[in-house]
Amino acid sequence: MARITDARGQAPGCTIVGFVLRAARESTRHTQASMAEALGIDLTTWQGWETGRRPLAHVKVGTLADLRHRLLAMDADPHVLRLLDPALDADRVISSTIRPGAVARHPLADWVHTRDTADMIAWALDGTVPPGLAHRSPPRRRGPAAPAPLLPVPDRGAFFSRLREMADSAVRTGEGGLLLHRQALYLCSYERTPEAIAWTGHALHVRRDLITVRGWSPHWATARSTAVALSRLGDTQPLVDFIDRAMAGDDDAEAANLTYWAHWLGASREPQANDAFMRRRPTSWEPVCLLRGFSAGLRQAPAYVDLYAHSLWALLTSHRWLPLADSALTDELRSHIVHLLDHDTVSPRSRRELTALHYLLRETRA
């Protein structure tokens, strides 16, 4: 049996993937010692992977692939194993931000990250457990164990400070800095101190003119992220304005919105190097996966209810067969829409679209 080896080294912010690896091991009911024995490696090597002392990102590609396959063969939860990649991405984003000289280009400038990656980053910043791990029941452990891969306070401060610097400098580089600017600025909205909220709010409002552009434009993705981040900070009106002016009724913008959602929610597995993919209208995403993501978001993210409602309306009016694909989900969605219409305050557009969705779902299930 081939031995799994690693390349040694340490870097700040390399613990997220270790926590996911621990969750994968725990799903097999193996201890660290029995897992190391089963894989034919030293216990200290496995412990180093889980703690980040030996970053898993430093192992050879073939070794990492072999590790995944071996864990799957040992009945590790495949849903947890799927999170190894976004965890690796999140570690890279954090470590590259804290130690900017470690890479030639920052990863936020090189690819469009997904919600899974953002959830992993949030896990390290504020301890919020990613949805893919939230319902897992970890076994009892002997002795203390950290519940989340939280960054030390100095590293969290350095991360946000550097993000703000990158967002400021990227916007001055023109078109080439758009992706880095919007992704860095969005992550800045994760810091909740009064000073940070004030800085992020100011930086977002400076870009607020983008939200007033009608229909598709090269800055459409930046405007969307700006409006969403402002909603995260409690200012929901820019998102309502963006939907009204830059999305509703424009075929290119509507298609770009669904295409971006498909990438963000994992309904499309194609990696994207920049925002240009939103204009190409790829058709390889899975509508049912998108429906499930929108349904969950409508329940779990009240700050974005207007965006979820409009996106759901656009999806179902263009794929009217979708409610038939999952009857239980359709019934649950219809029930929640009734709740929103009866008890929650939503924008006039959202109320119209949710009402239309209610009738559409009722007719489909009739």
Side-chain angles (χ1 to χ4, degrees), residues 301-342:
Y304 311 135
V305 63
D306 294 293
L307 182 58
Y308 276 114
H310 180 76
S311 301
L312 186 60
W313 172 84
L315 177 68
L316 289 179
T317 53
S318 60
H319 297 76
R320 301 183 75 88
W321 55 270
L322 262 180
L324 298 173
D326 191 327
S327 58
L329 177 64
T330 297
D331 290 342
E332 181 181 328
L333 177 58
R334 196 172 110 195
S335 175
H336 186 64
I337 287 174
V338 170
H339 171 81
L340 287 173
L341 291 172
D342 286 347

Side-chain angles (χ1 to χ4, degrees), residues 244-318:
D244 283 342
R245 298 171 184 172
M247 192 184 308
D250 185 284
D251 290 344
D252 287 335
E254 296 281 19
N257 180 55
L258 292 181
T259 299
Y260 179 72
W261 270 125
H263 177 75
W264 178 255
L265 295 175
S268 172
R269 298 297 181 184
E270 300 172 3
Q272 302 296 342
N274 54 57
D275 289 334
F277 77 100
M278 299 180 205
R279 281 301 300 270
R280 295 195 295 267
R281 300 192 187 189
T283 58
S284 60
W285 49 269
E286 305 167 14
V288 176
C289 179
L290 209 52
L291 175 63
R292 290 176 182 145
F294 287 164
S295 179
L298 200 62
R299 296 192 309 274
Q300 299 167 3
Y304 311 135
V305 63
D306 294 293
L307 182 58
Y308 276 114
H310 180 76
S311 301
L312 186 60
W313 172 84
L315 177 68
L316 289 179
T317 53
S318 60

Side-chain angles (χ1 to χ4, degrees), residues 60-82:
K60 296 178 180 178
V61 173
T63 300
L64 184 56
D66 184 48
L67 176 60
R68 294 173 193 265
H69 296 154
R70 300 273 290 280
L71 287 170
L72 188 62
M74 297 166 73
D75 292 327
D77 188 335
H79 299 291
V80 175
L81 288 177
R82 183 186 65 79

Side-chain angles (χ1 to χ4, degrees), residues 1 10 36 41 47-48 99 108 122 124 130 138 177 205 213 239 242 272 300 312 328 330 341 364 366:
M1 182 179 295
Q10 292 189 13
I41 62 174
Q47 290 173 332
R99 299 290 184 270
L108 291 178
H205 279 287
V213 177
L239 185 56
F242 176 77
Q272 302 296 342
Q300 299 167 3
L312 186 60
T330 297
L341 291 172
T364 304

Side-chain angles (χ1 to χ4, degrees), residues 147-186:
L150 280 172
L151 283 174
V153 172
D155 282 348
R156 286 204 298 273
F159 175 76
F160 283 116
S161 177
R162 178 59 183 157
L163 270 183
R164 290 191 287 269
E165 292 174 7
M166 291 192 309
D168 278 340
S169 60
V171 75
R172 294 193 293 268
T173 63
E175 298 292 322
L178 285 179
L179 182 62
L180 175 59
H181 172 72
R182 80 166 183 84
Q183 295 197 131
L185 194 54
Y186 177 80

Side-chain angles (χ1 to χ4, degrees), residues 129-149:
V129 180
L133 299 174
H135 303 297
R136 189 179 58 88
S137 299
R140 292 184 178 179
R141 304 185 182 96
R142 297 177 183 176

